[in-house]
Amino acid sequence: MPETVLVTGGAGFIGSHTCVELLAHGHEVVVVDNHVNSSPHALDRIAKTAGRPLAGAFHVDVRDRKALAEVFARHPVDSVIHFAAHKAVGESVGHPVEYYDTNVGGTCTLLSVMHEHRVHRLVFSSSCSVYGDAQTVPLTEQSPVAPTNPYARTKLMCERILEDVCTHLAEMRVLALRYFNPVGAHPSGRLGEDPQGVPNNVMPYVAQVAVGRRQKLSVFGNDYPTPDGTGVRDYIHVMDVAEGHRVAVEHLDDRPGMQTFNLGTGTGTSVLQLVAAFGEASGRPIPHQIVDRRPGDVAELVADASAVAAAWDWTTTRDLAAMCRDAWRFQQLNPHGYSRRPGEAAAGETGELSCG
Ligand code: NAD
Ligand code: WQD
């Protein structure tokens, strides 16, 4: 049954792709975003890509209880996907209070406003970072959690809060999805990852090297106990992540209480393999040099993705070549992201942005 889904952080990287996927499957979508890490232009692109409008889009901070309540009062929300958060690991070490305030405080405010409006169905963005420095891979949902930085701790704290809320409220249904490394872009080239400043993550950095915005990639260490010595990660196409959220919404009523799932492919890729695949997809070699390890990095993080497959009869379908191809198409079509061309104004920075 189509439903109205409120998507916090819906203008962001994963949120924007998820909105398109929800719209394409007949759901009504309401976005709440304060654009601290996204462009309002993404909202127009969501509607253009999906071929139908958002039901509403609000420039609202999820910590703003009154403004959030007004959104729930205006729209008959059936379920919520909660993406809005700060996500940079390094930044979280320098700004822990900001991270706890937004990620944990924002989740608490959202939960209480949801309860006031009798909305009890939630899909929550968690992260593979809750596993910390994994001792054995692949990681199952039962693997020990041991977050190593404030960002990862905010995600684990939110999971704990959600468990407690589910224990307290029999009507609550929560699916917490621990994503591994989302990359890639919508195949149209209209939506993709648009990081501000120097990208922290490897895929957008490589894409900017390919397009000529950066000279070369620094590969952080080649002395890890991995086949080629560089870090191994479970990269997952953002379209698979988006699809996973749409499928999650449709499975929210499977069981009462909270369930936690990995969202990964189960396939590990090293940095050098990623560099080679991107070179192949773009037809441009990616200049790179080996430098020291990045503090806090771990050798290998790969998901055991079997639990979600068993629960929902759903698996990821897009491979590394598709991830690189689609990331490259977005980078080529949007060499400076959505709106950061000289002289171009960012539209609709305040108030309600668009309503269908
Ligand atoms: P993103 O930064 O592109 O999107 C987050 C969105 O939330 C942005 O549009 C931002 O403006 C918005 N936002 C932030 N604080 C807000 C607030 N207080 N009120 C309203 N909106 C706010 O990040 P993303 O990559 O799309 O990540 C989405 C979620 O997935 C986050 O919760 C992140 O922690 C989680 N996650 C991301 C990754 C990844 O590698 N991208 C991996 C695991 C988990
Ligand atoms: C991937 C690999 C680096 C940049 C992060 C967050 C994690 C989760 C996913 C939110 C590593 C190497 C990187 C570069 C490099 N996000 N690398 N040169 O660190 O696995 O995970 O995103 O929940 O919490 O920490 O992703 O893309 O930064 O790094 O060699 O310029 O690429 O060492 O092996 P990471 P990443």
Side-chain angles (χ1 to χ4, degrees):
M1 278 284 286
E3 51 182 271
T4 298
V5 186
L6 186 141
V7 181
T8 76
F13 172 45
I14 303 172
S16 57
H17 291 79
T18 302
C19 289
V20 169
E21 170 74 11
L22 291 167
L23 287 167
H25 283 77
H27 300 293
E28 298 298 328
V29 179
V30 178
V31 167
V32 164
D33 201 304
N34 69 353
H35 300 294
V36 67
N37 196 38
S38 58
S39 165
H41 290 300
L43 299 170
D44 299 331
R45 293 194 180 199
I46 290 168
K48 197 174 278 180
T49 307
R52 44 186 294 250
L54 293 164
F58 297 87
H59 188 129
V60 161
D61 190 310
V62 289
R63 294 166 296 179
D64 183 341
R65 189 190 187 89
K66 188 164 168 281
L68 200 53
E70 279 167 23
V71 176
F72 278 81
R74 283 181 64 167
H75 291 278
V77 175
D78 297 301
S79 56
V80 176
I81 304 181
H82 182 35
F83 291 113
H86 292 308
K87 65 164 183 177
V89 169
E91 186 183 66
S92 77
V93 177
H95 300 272
V97 176
E98 175 67 17
Y99 270 66
Y100 286 109
D101 186 30
T102 296
N103 296 10
V104 181
T107 300
C108 290
T109 303
L110 174 67
L111 283 167
S112 70
V113 174
M114 283 174 63
H115 185 52
E116 278 164 18
H117 290 81
R118 296 185 181 76
V119 179
H120 294 103
R121 301 166 76 245
L122 175 71
V123 180
F124 174 71
S125 282
S126 190
S127 167
C128 65
S129 61
V130 299
Y131 295 114
D133 193 352
Q135 298 306 308
T136 51
V137 291
L139 290 148
T140 73
E141 291 78 358
Q142 286 70 46
S143 296
V145 286
T148 58
N149 56 71
Y151 164 73
R153 276 189 281 277
T154 68
K155 291 293 173 183
L156 189 59
M157 278 181 196
C158 288
E159 286 194 15
R160 299 287 192 246
I161 291 167
L162 291 166
E163 281 163 18
D164 288 343
V165 172
C166 286
T167 304
H168 171 60
L169 289 176
E171 59 270 50
M172 196 79 197
R173 272 117 183 87
V174 176
L175 287 168
L177 306 181
R178 294 174 176 166
Y179 328 145
F180 280 63
N181 288 56
V183 296
H186 191 276
S188 66
R190 269 197 216 104
L191 292 170
E193 194 168 7
D194 182 22
Q196 297 175 24
V198 181
N200 291 313
N201 298 116
V202 68
M203 181 66 113
Y205 201 106
V206 168
Q208 292 190 8
V209 171
V211 85
R213 269 178 76 182
R214 306 202 180 272
Q215 249 188 342
K216 60 179 145 184
L217 173 77
S218 294
V219 176
F220 297 142
N222 67 348
D223 56 351
Y224 285 107
T226 60
D228 64 21
T230 65
V232 168
R233 296 291 182 273
D234 185 338
Y235 297 98
I236 174 171
H237 198 301
V238 67
M239 295 298 295
D240 278 326
V241 179
E243 202 178 286
H245 282 77
R246 193 259 306 160
V247 174
V249 166
E250 294 167 1
H251 280 272
L252 269 171
D253 295 326
D254 286 0
R255 279 173 47 172
M258 174 156 165
Q259 285 181 278
T260 303
F261 290 114
N262 288 337
L263 213 50
T265 65
T267 301
T269 300
S270 74
V271 179
L272 291 180
Q273 285 173 324
L274 181 71
V275 163
F278 205 98
E280 183 89 5
S282 63
R284 301 179 181 195
I286 309 297
H288 58 277
Q289 63 175 358
I290 308 293
V291 300
D292 287 347
R293 291 181 179 193
R294 182 171 64 178
D297 270 355
V298 302
E300 189 170 2
L301 282 178
V302 178
D304 179 329
S306 58
V308 89
W312 302 341
D313 194 19
W314 173 85
T315 53
T316 59
T317 54
R318 294 147 177 107
D319 63 9
L320 183 66
M323 299 178 211
C324 294
R325 198 166 54 236
D326 292 335
W328 174 234
R329 186 177 302 112
F330 178 76
Q331 185 66 65
Q332 274 188 303
L333 293 175
N334 307 272
H336 299 283
Y338 290 133
S339 65
R340 295 186 192 92
R341 294 173 195 88
E344 185 174 351
E349 288 291 355
T350 56
E352 190 169 334
L353 296 165
S354 57
C355 263

